[in-house]
Amino acid sequence: MREVYLDNSATTKVSDRVAQFMYEVMTEYYGNPSSLHRKGIEAEKLLREARENIARALGVKPREIYFTSGGTESNNLAIKGTAYSMRKQGNHLITTTIEHPSVLEAFRQLEKEGFCVTYLGVDSRGVINIGALQKALRPDTILVSIMYINNEVGSIQPIKEVASCIRRNKNTVFHVDAVQAFGKIPMEIEGIDLLSISGHKIYGPKGTGALFIREKVRITPLFNGGGQEQNIRSGTENMPGIAGLGAAAKEAFENMHSWGKTMKDLKKRLKDRILAEIPDTVLNGPDADEDGSCQDLDAPDEAPHILNVSFLGARGEILLHALESHGIYVSTGSACSSHKEGKSHVLSAMGKSNEEIDGAIRFSLSPFLTIEDIDYTVDVLKKEVEEIRKFVRKQTWR
Ligand SMILES: Cc1ncc(COP(=O)(O)O)c(C=O)c1O
């Protein structure tokens, strides 16, 4: 059976070159980078190279890159680390209602500890309003955390405008969760103080990530220990993971333009065929106009790799399993929350109806898919959506 993996925002398949490199690191360059002997020095060189790869990709200094265990840890370290270190300057924090749980739950924890948090809403396209941010900013605002690309619908936030808006508040640190943007689109780093990335979204290993911390910014570490990563993230470095992340970042940035173009074309094909051939479908995200039927692929607020569509009258979870039986893998929302009870907080924040939320499927692309994969997916989708709708109609008549 053909296998079509359309869940690349949940995780990606590790690149062969990256996996081979990690194998070499595990079996040959297995020293501890803190050791003084040759094995340690070899490992330290790999650590330095990985750091340089990430720094180059972001256009920042290598010493501003701190390795972590992934996007979740980077987000927690950025948010709690800033809140704890700047407590004396203020108590107010700002984020959005559509963040990943690793951001939202960190803020909920800080609220329990006495911090005051403002949650900015989004419009029907999943984008925040700069005017609302301006209004929310206070002299005691110490942190603003806004994601670059939303993982469920692919909306891109106006990061440059946010940065220039915050610049006027000299005590406000700006954190960006760039897990879904890193390696996918060119990013505007100017004005960002902290930025989270993750390895497994860019054909690198799971359990790897990094936090960019601008030189002038001071954060409180969450772990105490041997003082690795300039005392910010103690613990013996995950060398195979770090080397894999560095290699994956290099590959992703070298190919960003061509991979992005391929994904855009594949996404357009998927979107156009779904809208033309499957009735009662609604686009969720930046590419939908008011009635959810028009798409401008060159809109600057659209991710090249994420397409979220509601198939009205067909429950997303049932459709997901129906597609799986044909070798097609998709998601009903973000992978982290799809096992939990309740509806997508992102689609709810965008004002979507219950029917739209229940029927939502997220397709997330990689440049390694083909037009034939997309056509196969739409052919199967057409049949399965129709079957599910027929079944639901029968049940309702009974
Ligand atoms: C936007 C966003 N932030 C953070 C994360 C968490 O990253 P990790 O899985 O590396 O912990 C994810 C993962 O899905 C994500 O999509």
Side-chain angles (χ1 to χ4, degrees):
M1 188 172 33
R2 187 188 273 269
E3 190 177 292
V4 184
Y5 185 73
L6 286 164
D7 204 11
N8 290 280
S9 285
T11 197
T12 57
K13 180 178 174 224
V14 176
S15 132
D16 287 345
R17 217 179 312 164
V18 169
Q20 183 56 40
F21 184 42
M22 289 175 69
Y23 179 79
E24 264 171 51
V25 174
M26 281 186 276
T27 54
E28 287 177 43
Y29 303 104
Y30 49 81
N32 184 325
S34 299
S35 295
L36 297 179
H37 49 68
R38 186 160 48 83
K39 281 283 171 201
I41 291 164
E42 278 169 4
E44 213 277 321
K45 182 168 173 278
L46 289 175
L47 183 60
R48 198 172 53 242
E49 280 168 8
R51 209 184 298 284
E52 281 166 3
N53 280 344
I54 308 287
R56 205 172 303 121
L58 290 174
V60 301
K61 296 173 192 149
R63 63 173 175 277
E64 295 176 312
I65 301 298
Y66 298 78
F67 290 109
T68 66
S69 66
T72 297
E73 187 189 328
S74 296
N75 285 341
N76 272 269
L77 180 57
I79 295 162
K80 293 177 189 166
T82 303
Y84 298 152
S85 87
M86 296 193 61
R87 205 170 225 155
K88 284 203 183 99
Q89 280 96 315
N91 190 49
H92 182 235
L93 318 165
I94 300 176
T95 190
T96 81
T97 49
I98 61 159
E99 298 295 315
H100 186 267
S102 57
V103 168
L104 285 176
E105 293 304 320
F107 277 104
R108 301 246 150 84
Q109 173 63 32
L110 290 173
E111 277 182 299
K112 285 186 197 144
E113 295 174 27
F115 287 92
C116 170
V117 182
T118 299
Y119 295 89
L120 301 175
V122 291
D123 62 18
S124 60
R125 294 147 56 249
V127 180
I128 59 152
N129 179 287
I130 290 289
L133 171 66
Q134 261 157 354
K135 268 196 206 137
L137 278 169
R138 312 190 321 208
D140 66 337
T141 306
I142 51 170
L143 173 68
V144 174
S145 176
I146 294 179
M147 70 197 325
Y148 217 118
I149 293 185
N150 179 265
N151 49 305
E152 288 192 38
V153 297
S155 52
I156 301 182
Q157 301 306 323
I159 294 298
K160 205 172 160 185
E161 288 85 338
V162 172
S164 70
C165 184
I166 292 173
R167 203 167 294 140
R168 284 169 236 141
N169 272 34
K170 77 172 179 17
N171 278 336
T172 309
V173 169
F174 182 26
H175 167 245
V176 174
D177 173 356
V179 165
Q180 294 289 348
F182 182 69
K184 311 281 170 162
I185 57 163
M187 292 195 289
E188 299 276 355
I189 295 295
E190 212 192 314
I192 297 175
D193 299 305
L194 302 159
L195 181 131
S196 306
I197 65 166
S198 171
H200 72 113
K201 313 291 184 181
I202 55 161
Y203 318 99
K206 293 167 186 58
T208 65
L211 180 65
F212 155 69
I213 308 178
R214 202 172 282 285
E215 234 171 352
K216 65 173 169 83
V217 176
R218 294 282 162 268
I219 68 168
T220 302
L222 303 183
F223 298 169
N224 301 108
Q228 289 89 344
E229 298 297 293
Q230 302 176 67
N231 272 322
I232 290 296
R233 206 287 187 171
S234 282
T236 301
E237 296 86 348
N238 166 13
M239 280 312 302
I242 289 172
L245 167 61
K250 188 165 184 277
E251 219 171 307
F253 275 79
E254 278 169 4
N255 294 293
M256 187 158 62
H257 189 75
S258 69
W259 286 1
K261 163 100 180 61
T262 305
M263 288 192 288
K264 256 185 161 184
D265 292 347
L266 293 170
K267 177 174 160 176
K268 179 162 168 47
R269 173 86 170 187
L270 179 63
K271 185 162 56 177
D272 288 351
R273 277 204 61 195
I274 288 176
L275 289 177
E277 299 175 36
I278 307 180
D280 300 320
T281 53
V282 178
L283 295 178
N284 301 314
D287 31 17
D289 72 358
E290 263 81 68
D291 65 6
S293 61
C294 167
Q295 339 79 49
D296 172 9
L297 209 90
D298 293 323
D301 55 359
E302 177 183 342
H305 59 302
I306 299 175
L307 179 70
N308 192 309
V309 185
S310 294
F311 298 90
L312 303 181
R315 285 220 20 231
E317 205 179 317
I318 296 174
L319 188 51
L320 177 150
H321 291 300
L323 293 175
E324 182 187 14
S325 70
H326 296 273
I328 300 166
Y329 300 96
V330 296
S331 175
T332 52
S334 69
C336 322
S337 56
S338 54
H339 290 298
K340 287 192 193 150
E341 297 282 313
K343 302 196 180 298
S344 154
H345 69 287
V346 177
L347 295 178
S348 301
M350 288 162 62
K352 294 284 168 181
S353 68
N354 281 346
E355 196 187 11
E356 285 167 338
I357 297 174
D358 284 345
I361 290 286
R362 177 187 69 181
F363 303 91
S364 46
L365 306 164
S366 81
F368 313 115
L369 293 158
T370 62
I371 287 284
E372 289 73 32
D373 290 330
I374 300 298
D375 284 345
Y376 171 70
T377 301
V378 181
D379 292 343
V380 171
L381 256 176
K382 265 162 77 172
K383 196 169 110 313
E384 290 299 340
V385 169
E386 182 52 31
E387 286 294 315
I388 295 168
R389 283 176 177 161
K390 237 193 258 166
F391 180 77
V392 173
R393 276 199 296 271
K394 248 194 233 160
Q395 296 290 98
T396 330
W397 288 336
R398 258 187 211 150

